[in-house]
Amino acid sequence: MSGTGTTPTPDGTPDRAPIPARPVIVVGSGPTGLLLAGDLAAANVPVTVVERRPHGISNLSRAFGVHARTLEQLDARGLAEPLLATGSTITELRLFRRLSLDLGTLPSRFPYLLITPQYEVERLLEERARELGVEFLFQHEVVGLRQDSEGVDLDVRVPDGTVVTRRAAYVVGTDGHRSAVRRAVGLPFPGVSVIKSLFLADVRLAERPPGVLTVNGAGDSFAMIASFGDGWYRVMGWNRRHEVPDDAPLELDEVKEVARRALGTDYGMHDARWLSRFHSDERQAPEYRVGRVFLAGDAAHVHSPAGGQGMNTGLQDAANLGWKLAAAVQGRAPEGLLDTYQTERHPVGKAVLRSSGGLVRLARATNPALRAVRALVTVVLNAVRPAGAKALARISGIGYAYPAPRGAHRLTGTRVPDVALRSGRLYEALRGGRFVLITPEPYDVEGARKGWLTAERWASESRRTAMLVRPDGYVAWAAESAGPAEIESALAAHSG
Ligand SMILES: Cc1cc2nc3c(=O)[nH]c(=O)nc-3n(C[C@H](O)[C@H](O)[C@H](O)COP(=O)(O)OP(=O)(O)OC[C@H]3O[C@@H](n4cnc5c(N)ncnc54)[C@H](O)[C@@H]3O)c2cc1C
């Protein structure tokens, strides 16, 4: 094992002898950590994932919806097609009884929501990470850390119960909502509990529901049934008259009763393979970075399951951070690049918290004022096209843009769709994990730039914009009719 730490002292505390640093250690092998570790390895950055679970013991499959922007990110890693093969897609998103959003209108290669269990996303991401050489340490639990100006010492409890220190230049905490990394750097996780008592069940059904996703609320009950496409269905719901702690026993009969009240039928639920209670918090760390330590995914933000945003937002965090960390490790990050992780991703986390929390409050509305707001939201989103399109763009993740420097081209910071190139399409060109420069005329990439830059040309002769696309598919720089000198200076500004 490279970078293995020191032997513990007899009292169990690690000694502090110098040890070789691993460039990056990722703590937690949920979807966020797996995507991040794979991206770092793809950029030739040696990376270790430390995970407290034993290998093969699944992270409980919580998420089941994969949105358009996440599918685009997976496409940029060659994983969208295999993931699509594991589930079913839906083009209509029903939020309240009368509110329906048409995902088919999304300006994306993936104009739908993919319903597939979270473990399928994790399986593909782990396979990719392993193929790229990521080192995995299962049954290793992070219990503390210290950092100095050159690195981070991570205290890790290994399978025999002793604690060893592993050193890394950077550490990323993707260790979920109870993040030990977040606690170790002293960050609070302020917020509130938004739904006190929900249940989850994975069941088989005697009778098929009308669609891939069936949702309704009636009185105090709410239920949602999603088809995984393989004969198993995920049921999620609540009964506001029966709010109990997460560890209270749950029987299938309770799930069936709530479904009957909310949906009019329980579709003959049987053979539950998983029954679980949980509650839903709305929390966000004020900082996503403390020195050499970063937070991503649920470690940085948690929100209500409404809109299916948690895993999707975590994967976008990882896609944003991976190439920046790789550039820092390889000494080609421009000044301030690592700070843009906070300035770009924290506002998105905040917006997701606000929108998913708003949806849940409206869905659970009992007082007349909130019910009136819900009716108004329903009318506006159904009837006013731009409002509906904006809501869809946010939910699907394609509507977010990052802040651009003053005076920058209007496209700077925006998401680039899957545009046609002479050699193919953009999200195929992004599979190298490099920046993509798209120009009207040929541009030769020379020397060290080959390591981080691919040059492409627009398929359309009429496009005169020169555009530098970041590895995560956002515009780093753009200019109209730029000459070679202007392009050169943009490339220099983005390579440190
Ligand atoms: C009912 C429900 C439905 C949901 N539906 C959706 C949905 O449809 N779409 C969506 O996008 N999201 C959804 N989510 C949210 C989604 O499941 C989470 O946001 C997602 O799992 C977060 O991924 P993560 O990698 O950040 O963290 P996690 O998946 O929590 O992974 C963290 C990992 O870190 C490990 N770990 C923890 N502590 C340590 C430690 N000290 N040392 C080492 N390892 C450690 C854990 O074992 C775990 O493997 C849902 C959640 C719930 C509860």
Side-chain angles (χ1 to χ4, degrees):
M1 288 191 302
S2 55
T4 305
T6 53
T7 340
T9 52
D11 67 358
T13 54
D15 72 27
R16 304 291 312 279
I19 43 171
R22 189 83 171 155
V24 183
I25 296 182
V26 172
V27 184
S29 73
T32 309
L34 290 170
L35 184 93
L36 179 68
D39 281 8
L40 287 161
N44 294 319
V45 174
V47 53
T48 299
V49 173
V50 176
E51 166 60 57
R52 76 173 167 204
R53 280 181 287 126
H55 188 232
I57 303 293
S58 165
N59 206 353
L60 292 179
S61 179
R62 293 169 294 173
F64 52 84
V66 183
H67 283 293
R69 185 61 182 145
T70 307
L71 287 166
E72 290 179 348
Q73 291 292 1
L74 294 173
D75 189 26
R77 291 153 181 86
L79 298 178
E81 292 305 321
L83 188 66
L84 283 166
T86 66
S88 325
T89 58
I90 56 169
T91 51
E92 187 195 23
L93 204 56
R94 281 199 165 274
L95 294 178
F96 313 125
R97 193 188 295 242
R98 288 189 207 87
L99 174 56
S100 154
L101 295 175
D102 181 7
L103 294 163
T105 60
L106 280 174
S108 167
R109 184 180 178 84
F110 307 101
Y112 38 70
L113 173 70
L114 171 67
I115 305 289
T116 194
Q118 181 168 329
Y119 58 73
E120 293 289 3
V121 178
E122 292 178 12
R123 179 180 59 80
L124 286 169
L125 290 173
E126 185 181 327
E127 276 170 19
R128 166 183 183 251
R130 283 186 184 281
E131 277 162 21
L132 291 165
V134 170
E135 177 191 43
F136 279 91
L137 298 177
F138 285 93
Q139 286 182 276
H140 282 59
E141 180 180 6
V142 169
V143 292
L145 66 78
R146 295 160 302 282
Q147 56 177 318
D148 53 53
S149 59
E150 277 160 26
V152 186
D153 288 334
L154 210 50
D155 298 337
V156 184
R157 184 172 295 125
V158 300
D160 70 7
T162 55
V163 176
V164 301
T165 302
R166 290 179 68 102
R167 189 166 169 83
Y170 296 98
V171 164
V172 188
T174 57
D175 49 344
H177 66 294
R178 292 201 180 91
S179 174
V181 172
R182 188 184 64 232
R183 271 182 278 126
V185 292
L187 282 173
F189 204 35
V192 293
S193 208
V194 61
I195 312 178
K196 291 194 181 65
S197 180
L198 289 108
F199 61 72
L200 276 183
D202 279 2
V203 299
R204 292 198 178 272
L205 301 180
E207 196 191 321
R208 248 176 127 147
V212 174
L213 194 63
T214 307
V215 191
N216 202 21
D220 288 316
S221 301
F222 170 90
M224 186 216 68
I225 302 182
S227 164
F228 287 141
D230 60 357
W232 286 100
Y233 291 82
R234 162 65 50 82
V235 190
M236 186 173 79
W238 65 67
N239 173 3
R240 295 186 69 165
R241 287 174 186 270
H242 185 59
E243 294 190 328
V244 293
D246 291 357
D247 57 2
L250 174 67
E251 299 291 335
L252 184 57
D253 282 346
E254 182 183 330
V255 177
K256 288 166 98 167
E257 191 193 325
V258 173
R260 282 196 295 271
R261 279 203 224 145
L263 306 171
T265 168
D266 62 22
Y267 296 101
M269 291 174 191
H270 61 94
D271 284 346
R273 67 175 172 184
W274 185 36
L275 287 161
S276 171
R277 290 191 199 276
F278 68 103
H279 66 279
S280 171
D281 284 358
E282 245 175 42
R283 300 180 184 279
Q284 188 179 28
E287 303 294 332
Y288 284 10
R289 176 187 184 189
V290 176
R292 294 176 165 270
V293 179
F294 295 79
L295 297 176
D298 275 17
H301 46 75
V302 288
H303 10 86
S304 89
Q309 301 288 302
M311 178 181 73
N312 286 275
T313 310
L315 291 171
Q316 300 297 332
D317 291 345
N320 184 286
L321 182 57
W323 63 272
K324 294 175 183 175
L325 264 185
V329 167
Q330 291 164 349
R332 53 180 175 78
E335 181 71 28
L337 182 67
L338 287 180
D339 290 331
T340 65
Y341 175 62
Q342 166 82 12
T343 52
E344 294 183 347
R345 293 307 300 169
H346 194 273
V348 174
K350 200 169 180 179
V352 170
L353 235 77
R354 209 180 294 133
S355 62
S356 58
L359 281 177
V360 122
R361 284 182 187 94
L362 291 182
R364 286 162 64 87
T366 47
N367 76 49
L370 266 184
R371 280 178 185 266
V373 173
R374 180 168 76 195
L376 185 67
V377 169
T378 303
V379 169
V380 169
L381 292 185
N382 275 334
V384 184
R385 241 166 208 275
K390 197 168 172 200
L392 265 184
R394 285 291 173 107
I395 289 173
S396 65
I398 67 168
Y400 289 106
Y402 296 138
R406 193 180 286 268
H409 188 278
R410 68 186 165 79
L411 292 175
T412 309
T414 60
R415 153 196 167 266
V416 191
D418 193 20
V419 291
L421 306 173
R422 293 219 173 175
S423 67
R425 56 188 186 87
L426 177 63
Y427 281 72
E428 284 169 349
L430 285 169
R431 286 181 191 169
R434 299 187 188 88
F435 280 73
V436 176
L437 174 68
I438 318 175
T439 49
E441 311 300 337
Y443 184 91
D444 281 336
V445 178
E446 284 165 4
R449 286 208 175 129
K450 287 189 177 141
W452 65 272
L453 183 68
T454 306
E456 296 282 351
R457 291 174 67 193
W458 299 110
S460 158
E461 298 272 344
S462 63
R463 291 201 74 160
R464 306 309 300 164
T465 313
M467 184 184 283
L468 182 62
V469 183
R470 307 181 343 179
D472 58 353
Y474 291 82
V475 178
W477 165 87
E480 300 304 321
S481 311
E486 201 178 343
I487 294 175
E488 274 302 299
S489 115
L491 295 181
H494 286 88
S495 57

